[in-house]
Structure formats: C-alpha cells, structure tokens
Amino acid sequence: MEGDGVASGGMCGIIGVTGVDEAFSFLVEGLRQLEYRGYDSAGVALVADGDLWLAREADGNHSVEELALLETGSRVVGSGVSGSRTGENSGASSGASSGAGDVSIPPPRHCEAGIGHTRWATHGRPTVENAHPHVDCSGRLALVHNGIIENHAELAARLDANGHEIASETDSEVLVHVIEEELRRSESLLEAVRRALEDVRGSFAIAVVSSAEPGVIVAARRVSPLIFGVDERSAVLASDIPALLGTTRNLFALEDDQIVELRPGVAHVSGLDGSKVDPVPLTITWDLDAARKDGFDDFMTKEIHEQPRAVAETLLDRHGPGGSLVLDELRLTREELRLVDKVFIVACGSSYHAALVAKYAIEHWTRVPVEVDIASEFRYRDPVLDQRTLAIGVSQSGETVDTLQAMREAKRWGARVIAVSNVVDSSMTREADGVLYTRAGPEICVASTKTYLAQVAALEVLALALAEFRQTLDHGVIERLVGNLNELPAAIEECIDREKEVFEVADRILGARDFFYLGRNVGYPAAMEGALKLKELSYLRAEAYAAGELKHGPIALIEPGTVVVGIATRNRLREKMLANVAEVRSRGATVVLVANDGERDVEDVADHVLWVPEVEPLLSPVVNAVPLQLFAYRMARELGYDVDRPRNLAKTVTVE
Ligand code: F6R
C-alpha cells in the first residue's frame, strides 16, 4: 500500500521583505535564523524589473548556505539549485518551478520584493521540486507556505482538469495555482489570495509575490504562526521573531484568518472575510537566543510544549479512500503484510521504549507475536527471522548506527523492513522497504520528548493498519481507536498545563538520590522512559522495573529515602499495581504516582500524585510520559544542569 506521496509544509520557516534593496541577503540571513524550524531545503523568490527570480536548494543542513553562495558569485549553479528568471521580460519559459535547465542568473541587486522559505519535510523527499517558493504556470506568482493543506488532493484534481501543471509532490503548490486562477477574476493580488483561501482547509502561513504587482507581498495565516513589521521605507514578515530581530521593533502578530498586504512602509490588515482589523503590536523583550526558543528557557521546554502538535501532525491524514489507514511510504503490499507471521522491532534508548509500548498494542490488536530488541544486541545475537518477518527500525534521527545495522541484518535474513523516523531521507528511510514518518519537526534538545510521543503514536497507527489488513479487529473498533488516538493531543495539552503541580512535587523530592520507576503492562515501558529521562537529565540513579518483579529481588533496596515513581493509570492491572506500591511504601519509600483524574483511592498509597486525564489504556504512555518529562526536567534544572545538553551524550549516536 502506498501513501499519497504528498510532502507537507510541516514545520517550516517563511520570510518576506519589500522596500529593501539588498533583499536577497536580507532573506538569506532571515532563513539562517529560522533554520531551527527545519533545514532540509530552502529557497528564495525575488521580484525585480517585472520578472520573478527564483533559487531553490535541497542539500540538508547546508541548503541556506548554498543559497548564500549565489550572492557572492562563488556559486552560480550546481546540484539542484537554479537562479532563474521567469516572466515576460526575461524571455525565459514559464514555470520556474521546473528548476533544472533554467538559465542561471545571480540574484538581482535591486528588487522590489522577495520571499524565502526553509523547510523540514514531514513526508515526501526533500528535493528541489518540493522546495519552496512554488511558482504558478504563468511564472509570475511565487508562494511560500508553512502548514498543511488538508484538501490538496481535491484542489489538485480541479486544477489538473483546468490544465495546470503541478510540478511538485507538495500540498503547498496547489495554493499558488488556485491563486493564479482567482487572479483572472480579481482586481488585485490581495483579492485573489483572499478568494483562493475560501477553498482551502488546513493550516497555513503563506506569503505571495507577483511580478505584476512589484513591491507587494500578500500574506495570510490560519494556525501556523506569522508576524510582520513596518518601518518608514520597508515592510517585513516571518514565521517567527528571530528572523526579524534587528529589523524593526514595530512588529505585529497576524491572527488566525487574517490577511495582510505589505508595501514599503505600509501594512494593511483585514480579516479573510473582509472585516476591518487593528493589528496587535508585539512587545519584544527577547534576544536572538531566546527568540529561537520561542521565549522558552530552553529547547526542552519548547519541545515539550510542541508535543500536542507533534502527535497531531503524526496522526494527520491517516485515512485514505474508503476509510482505510494510510502510512506514508509503506512500499509493502497488503498481501505481504497479511502474510507476516512475526514482527521484530529494533531501536535504542527512548525509541526502544516506544517500541516496547508498540509490542503490547500490536500483539493485542493483531495477534502477531512481536519481539523487541535493543539494536546493539540484535545485531550480534543470531536472531531468528525470515521472509515472513516484518522488521521495524524505530529511530528519531534515522542515523543511529546500531539501529541502521540491525535493519540491514534483518534485511539480510530476508525480512521486510520498515523505518519509523523523524527525518526524511535519512539513511534508514532510504534503505528501508517502507517508511512511516513521525512529523514532530526538528528536535534540538538531546533528550527525546516530542519525538518519543510521536513514535508511540505512529507505531499505534501501524498496529491498527496491520489489524485492518489482517482483519483482526472490526472496522468499528478501529474507527473508535483512531478516534481515541485523535483525542491524545488535547490530553497531552492538559498535562502540560499542569506543569506547575508537577514542579511542586519535584521540589519536594529534591535531595533524593535513589529512584525506582514501576509500571505494569504498557506502564512498564512508560516507567522505563520516565527513568531514562531522570537519569540522563539529572544524573540521578533511577531503575525501572515491572512492578510485579520487585518482590523477586530489587525490593531489598527499598529503604526510607528511596523514591518510587509508579504508573497507576487505569488498566486491568491497576489493582495489582496499587498493591505493589503499598508494599514499597510500607518499607519506607516515598511514593509518587501518575494517576487518572478523580481516582482518589490512589492517595491511600501515594505521598504525591501527578494527575493525568484518562485515555484508552494502550495509548496511555503518550500521556503519562508528559508529567515524567516535566518531573525530570525540574529536578535537573533545580540541580543546576543544562537540560538541553546533558553531559556525555550526543543527539545522534553514529558510532557503535
Ligand atoms: C533519550 C534519547 C536517546 C535516543 C537514542 C536513539 O532521551 O534521546 O536514548 O532515543 O539515542 O536515537 P534515535 O531515535 O535517533 O535512533
């Protein structure tokens, strides 16, 4: 079954400027500041002398730097980049988005307006064709987009019927063609963009320029962020503050369903419905570093706060025609998946914990046996796999060498291999037979947070897809579970909102040195993940156990001063879990329990409770992880450690 192959706008950065002569260098500098939002491809479009000039690059984390080289002349054209002019005055063929084969011209020194984009592909390859800006068929309009256009397929079919040529696999490109159509019956670019957006469902921050209206940028927003600023002679816009610091302090936020027309020195804002709007001024007290972190103290906090969105985007668009589940680039047939008689999941660290959660779900929903292995063990232990084994490598980076080698080993045994990864075009996604992406955006903090949650969500979708192919669950049950999955972002949000309560508990525990994390069923891997967070961030000893195993030895270590963190949310083993907790408490342990709202009986066995909303038990690790992340975070901060860069660790481990 193939995915729809659409590359979404995802977590990207956009920028625009009008009224500045050296627009190219302004845009490139802005893109550098936005690279933390993604960087697998980048591009710029300029309006100069009635023409459109376009350059795009898809070179991983060098994309913006490659663009910058165009200006100094140290690079004119190369792999995947084209400085080209389109439009009537250039005499060049229309459709600058074709990229290859265009006449290469360095960026014009003087231009009226320009827009730029840096992209983090969420699915679909990060290629030049998929890079923004996208250009319409006439070669006059260029557009950048951050977000996801949910009804892109519908719009693309309509455009196709009207003779438009869609050059990329992105959901974004359709927008520029819809605007092109609307321009035919509109008096201005502003009117055309407004009309075009009437047909659009999804999230967007867009900026559009037209060689027919030099000096004008039209930008609009729904959900995805967009700010703009004006001074006497120019106007600017961007996804985020870092790109505009040092320009003007006269900055404003565009709100949902608003549209702005920028001209040098003038910004005209209105509602998408035409209503009059007074823009909200932004008070900027941040320096560049704080701005890159969206004002949060560190990337870990920022990424914890991005979790609802990371999970929501990972779950988005998973329904294909006929209601069946869609998995990005799962290049395996239904028949192959139906024949699978064993699943092997390999991973390291937090990704391994996500895999352990998935084992419970896959076995319960599909009745296929699942083995989960630490990748570095799997490689060297002569595992038993064959052509009917489905091997799944789970890796945020897609580059962890142990997991990569384990996947190669699985392939050598004839297994079909799927990669679950956050990075498009990583080594694992290139080599695997199929790919399922977590769409969490770049994770900068060394400790995984949002990507772990997204991995669990992605693996649960995969489990449901397997259940669907193998007909082990009724359609109605699958629908209910998909509904339960879609409720997770709101539950995660609620947990984040309770940050203060978690911090208060952490503050009362501060000083403890020995921790045990206990859970049963999916609570066990959730406990393992909680313990890992505490270890790596606060350098405290934390051991995770299946709660039922404690009596077989480790309980000897419990003494007054030991802290036991237990997962006691609702599942069929909850009573047994509470009994296990009572055993450690009677031996002097201080007990912290993660429990569902309203279940006050836990207070009989706990010193402190971290309350979470109730969700479907097999999905609960996604929610229960949040207070444990916050707990570890607070302990580390209070102990004075750098949470983003814990000692001895690297974000991606490419050595054995
Ligand atoms: C823990 C953490 C690591 C990674 C592990 C695997 O917070 O981040 O344990 O989970 O190094 O990395 P990936 O997922 O990139 O293979």
Side-chain angles (χ1 to χ4, degrees), residues 214-280:
V216 172
I217 307 176
V218 175
R221 168 195 172 165
R222 179 176 297 154
V223 183
S224 308
L226 194 68
I227 57 170
F228 66 92
V230 265
D231 64 15
E232 279 165 19
R233 277 192 291 267
S234 66
V236 288
L237 71 88
S239 297
D240 240 339
I241 295 165
L244 299 185
L245 281 177
T247 55
T248 167
R249 291 242 141 193
N250 205 12
L251 293 175
F252 301 85
L254 202 66
E255 304 281 328
D256 275 352
D257 290 317
Q258 291 181 355
I259 187 164
V260 61
E261 184 191 59
L262 298 175
R263 295 171 184 270
V266 187
H268 177 77
V269 188
S270 53
L272 278 176
D273 57 3
S275 55
K276 194 178 165 306
V277 167
D278 286 326
V280 187

Side-chain angles (χ1 to χ4, degrees), residues 110-123:
H110 304 286
C111 42
E112 283 90 30
I115 52 176
H117 188 274
T118 177
R119 172 167 180 255
W120 177 264
T122 47
H123 55 289

Side-chain angles (χ1 to χ4, degrees), residues 516 518 543-546 549-558 584:
F516 280 86
L518 305 182
E543 286 195 57
Y545 275 99
E549 184 65 10
L550 212 65
K551 283 204 263 319
H552 302 283
I555 200 164
L557 289 166
I558 304 285
V584 294

Side-chain angles (χ1 to χ4, degrees), residues 346-353 393-404 420-423 428 443 445-449 451-452 455 529 532-533 536-537 646 649-653:
V346 287
C348 306
S350 293
S351 301
Y352 169 68
H353 300 151
V394 185
S395 173
Q396 180 281 127
S397 59
E399 301 294 345
T400 302
V401 74
D402 285 319
T403 311
L404 181 63
V420 175
S421 176
N422 198 42
V423 181
M428 285 178 213
E443 190 172 66
C445 173
V446 166
S448 305
T449 53
T451 57
Y452 166 75
Q455 283 170 344
E529 176 59 10
L532 178 60
K533 291 284 98 85
E536 64 184 339
L537 295 168
L649 296 177
K651 182 70 182 161
T652 303
V653 184

Side-chain angles (χ1 to χ4, degrees), residues 481-619:
L481 289 164
V482 170
N484 294 149
L485 274 168
N486 287 324
E487 288 160 10
L488 292 175
I492 298 165
E493 189 85 62
E494 262 191 71
C495 293
I496 296 169
D497 289 346
R498 298 175 191 183
E499 170 187 272
K500 230 173 118 229
E501 294 154 38
V502 180
F503 287 175
E504 275 165 21
V505 172
D507 291 350
R508 294 176 66 180
I509 303 284
L510 211 64
R513 287 285 165 270
D514 276 315
F515 290 75
F516 280 86
Y517 280 67
L518 305 182
R520 302 187 72 129
N521 197 266
V522 283
Y524 174 36
M528 293 168 84
E529 176 59 10
L532 178 60
K533 291 284 98 85
L534 191 73
K535 279 186 261 209
E536 64 184 339
L537 295 168
S538 54
Y539 318 143
L540 292 166
R541 229 166 277 278
E543 286 195 57
Y545 275 99
E549 184 65 10
L550 212 65
K551 283 204 263 319
H552 302 283
I555 200 164
L557 289 166
I558 304 285
E559 57 186 2
T562 311
V563 177
V564 170
V565 180
I567 314 288
T569 50
R570 196 170 298 157
N571 66 32
R572 58 199 166 88
L573 294 178
R574 182 175 168 278
E575 303 305 317
K576 293 187 194 302
M577 177 68 202
L578 292 183
N580 295 141
V581 169
E583 288 156 15
V584 294
R585 194 157 185 243
S586 66
R587 285 162 180 83
T590 302
V591 173
V592 180
L593 287 186
V594 178
N596 287 135
D597 290 338
E599 305 222 297
R600 312 245 43 136
D601 59 334
V602 295
E603 286 169 330
D604 299 339
V605 287
D607 297 278
H608 309 283
V609 183
L610 307 175
W611 298 106
V612 293
E614 187 184 346
V615 296
E616 159 68 33
L618 279 172
L619 312 183

Side-chain angles (χ1 to χ4, degrees), residues 103-308:
V103 185
S104 174
I105 308 169
R109 287 260 160 249
H110 304 286
C111 42
E112 283 90 30
I115 52 176
H117 188 274
T118 177
R119 172 167 180 255
W120 177 264
T122 47
H123 55 289
R125 290 161 58 91
T127 58
V128 171
E129 287 71 28
N130 290 340
H132 300 220
H134 293 291
V135 178
D136 72 334
C137 299
S138 75
R140 288 177 170 206
L141 288 177
L143 167 140
V144 288
H145 167 231
N146 171 30
I148 294 185
I149 304 303
E150 286 169 18
N151 58 335
H152 61 84
E154 205 180 286
L155 295 170
R158 198 179 84 193
L159 291 163
D160 193 45
N162 291 352
H164 288 264
E165 268 186 44
I166 312 267
S168 74
E169 303 165 323
T170 66
D171 56 339
S172 310
E173 192 192 337
V174 294
L175 287 176
V176 77
H177 296 277
V178 177
I179 297 167
E180 179 186 10
E181 297 231 310
E182 294 297 344
L183 256 178
R184 293 187 195 134
R185 54 192 186 104
S186 307
E187 306 233 311
S188 64
L189 183 61
L190 177 69
E191 192 188 330
V193 174
R194 178 180 279 137
R195 284 186 175 194
L197 291 175
E198 282 172 11
D199 293 341
V200 167
R201 283 201 315 276
S203 59
F204 52 80
I206 58 166
V208 192
V209 289
S210 163
S211 56
E213 283 186 57
V216 172
I217 307 176
V218 175
R221 168 195 172 165
R222 179 176 297 154
V223 183
S224 308
L226 194 68
I227 57 170
F228 66 92
V230 265
D231 64 15
E232 279 165 19
R233 277 192 291 267
S234 66
V236 288
L237 71 88
S239 297
D240 240 339
I241 295 165
L244 299 185
L245 281 177
T247 55
T248 167
R249 291 242 141 193
N250 205 12
L251 293 175
F252 301 85
L254 202 66
E255 304 281 328
D256 275 352
D257 290 317
Q258 291 181 355
I259 187 164
V260 61
E261 184 191 59
L262 298 175
R263 295 171 184 270
V266 187
H268 177 77
V269 188
S270 53
L272 278 176
D273 57 3
S275 55
K276 194 178 165 306
V277 167
D278 286 326
V280 187
L282 285 172
T283 315
I284 311 292
T285 49
W286 298 346
D287 61 13
L288 186 59
D289 187 48
R292 282 165 62 93
K293 293 171 186 157
D294 274 357
F296 292 109
D297 289 347
D298 39 66
F299 281 107
M300 183 170 179
T301 311
K302 174 174 179 279
E303 288 161 6
I304 286 175
H305 282 253
E306 285 169 353
Q307 294 187 122

Side-chain angles (χ1 to χ4, degrees), residues 24 43-48 51-56 67 70-71 76 81-86 96 103-108 115 133 135 139 142 211:
F24 184 78
V44 162
L46 302 171
V47 175
D51 280 343
L52 204 58
W53 181 93
L54 177 76
R56 298 183 298 176
L67 278 181
L70 289 170
E71 188 176 34
V76 180
V81 69
S82 79
S84 60
R85 286 174 87 137
T86 64
V103 185
S104 174
I105 308 169
I115 52 176
V135 178
S211 56

